[in-house]
C-alpha cells in the first residue's frame, strides 16, 4: 500500500512539475517523453531518460498502417513471448533494426487512449503494459522489464485494437553500453 501512495505522490509531482516548468514552450511529444521517463523511473526504480524522436514517431505511424494479419500490432501488445513474434519482426523492420541486433534495446509500451490531450496524462496511460521487443525475452524474463540502456529515443503512435478501442503506444529504442 505504501508503494501505491508513493507512486501516486510521484505522479502528482510530475504533473505539477510539468505545469511549473513552462510546458507551453515545449512540444507535446517532448513533455510526454519526459513524463514517461519520470513515471518509469518511479515505477521500476531505475534512472533513465527519454527523448522524443520525430522519425521514430513517423515509423510508429507506418507500423500501424502496415501491421495486419499475423503481424498485427494487436499481437504485439501482449507481453507473452509466444504471441506476436511476427508483429515483433514487423515492428523491427519498420524502425530499421535487424532482429538479431545485440547493441539495441527496443521496448513497446501501450495503454488505453482516454482522450486526453494532456501529455502527462497520456504518459501515465502508456505505462499500463509493456513488451520487450529486443533483445527478445524468453519464458523466464518476459514479465520483468529490464532497462539495459540509460537513455531512450521514443516515438508515439495510436491505433484501434481488435475491439475498436483507441490505444496509445510508444516505441523506445536505447543503445546498450558495451555491446557491439
Amino acid at each position: 500500500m505504501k508503494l501505491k501512495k508513493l507512486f501516486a505522490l510521484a505522479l502528482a509531482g510530475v504533473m505539477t512539475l510539468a505545469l511549473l516548468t513552462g510546458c507551453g514552450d515545449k512540444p507535446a511529444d517532448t513533455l510526454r517523453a519526459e513524463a514517461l521517463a519520470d513515471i518509469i523511473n518511479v515505477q521500476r526504480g531505475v534512472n533513465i531518460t527519454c527523448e522524443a524522436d520525430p522519425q521514430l514517431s513517423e515509423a510508429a505511424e507506418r507500423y500501424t498502417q502496415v501491421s495486419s494479419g499475423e503481424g498485427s500490432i494487436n499481437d504485439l501488445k501482449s507481453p507473452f513471448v509466444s504471441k506476436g513474434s511476427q508483429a515483433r519482426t514487423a515492428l523491427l523492420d519498420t524502425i530499421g533494426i535487424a532482429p538479431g541486433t545485440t547493441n539495441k534495446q527496443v521496448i513497446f509500451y501501450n495503454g488505453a487512449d482516454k482522450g486526453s490531450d494532456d501529455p502527462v496524462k497520456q504518459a501515465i496511460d502508456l505505462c499500463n503494459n509493456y513488451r520487450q521487443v529486443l533483445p527478445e525475452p524468453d519464458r523466464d524474463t518476459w514479465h520483468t522489464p529490464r532497462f539495459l540502456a540509460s537513455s531512450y529515443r521514443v516515438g508515439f503512435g495510436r491505433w484501434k485494437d481488435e475491439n475498436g478501442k483507441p490505444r496509445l503506444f510508444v516505441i523506445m529504442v536505447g543503445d546498450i553500453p558495451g555491446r557491439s
Side-chain angles (χ1 to χ4, degrees), residues 26-60:
K26 295 182 181 181
D29 280 355
T30 299
L31 290 172
R32 194 177 302 125
E34 291 171 355
L36 183 69
D38 290 342
I39 294 164
I40 291 170
N41 288 337
V42 170
Q43 274 185 341
R44 306 293 180 198
V46 295
N47 187 19
I48 65 165
T49 60
C50 293
E51 181 180 336
D53 183 334
Q55 291 176 328
L56 208 48
S57 289
E58 288 174 19

Side-chain angles (χ1 to χ4, degrees), residues 16-116:
T16 303
L17 186 61
L19 290 172
L20 297 175
T21 58
C23 59
D25 298 340
K26 295 182 181 181
D29 280 355
T30 299
L31 290 172
R32 194 177 302 125
E34 291 171 355
L36 183 69
D38 290 342
I39 294 164
I40 291 170
N41 288 337
V42 170
Q43 274 185 341
R44 306 293 180 198
V46 295
N47 187 19
I48 65 165
T49 60
C50 293
E51 181 180 336
D53 183 334
Q55 291 176 328
L56 208 48
S57 289
E58 288 174 19
E61 179 63 29
R62 285 194 311 273
Y63 179 62
T64 60
Q65 294 172 7
V66 300
S67 63
S68 62
E70 293 178 349
S72 171
I73 195 170
N74 290 313
D75 289 339
L76 188 62
K77 74 177 184 164
S78 170
F80 302 105
V81 175
S82 61
K83 189 172 182 179
S85 63
Q86 291 167 329
R88 176 185 166 274
T89 301
L91 173 64
L92 292 173
D93 287 346
T94 303
I95 62 176
I97 297 176
T101 303
T102 60
N103 66 339
K104 301 272 186 212
Q105 182 177 30
V106 178
I107 301 171
F108 177 85
Y109 266 98
N110 72 95
D113 184 349
K114 297 179 181 173
S116 175

Side-chain angles (χ1 to χ4, degrees), residues 104-171:
K104 301 272 186 212
Q105 182 177 30
V106 178
I107 301 171
F108 177 85
Y109 266 98
N110 72 95
D113 184 349
K114 297 179 181 173
S116 175
D117 289 334
D118 182 329
V120 176
K121 288 181 180 176
Q122 288 179 354
I124 292 168
D125 294 341
L126 278 167
C127 286
N128 292 334
N129 301 299
Y130 72 93
R131 164 106 190 244
Q132 183 169 307
V133 177
L134 188 71
E136 185 172 15
D138 59 29
R139 273 186 267 152
D140 299 323
T141 61
W142 68 265
H143 59 282
T144 307
R146 296 180 315 151
F147 294 89
L148 304 174
S150 60
S151 178
Y152 291 85
R153 295 178 299 114
V154 297
F156 299 94
R158 293 187 158 145
W159 94 100
K160 289 190 178 180
D161 68 13
E162 63 274 8
N163 300 317
K165 293 183 180 177
R167 299 189 61 82
L168 298 169
F169 71 95
V170 65
I171 302 167

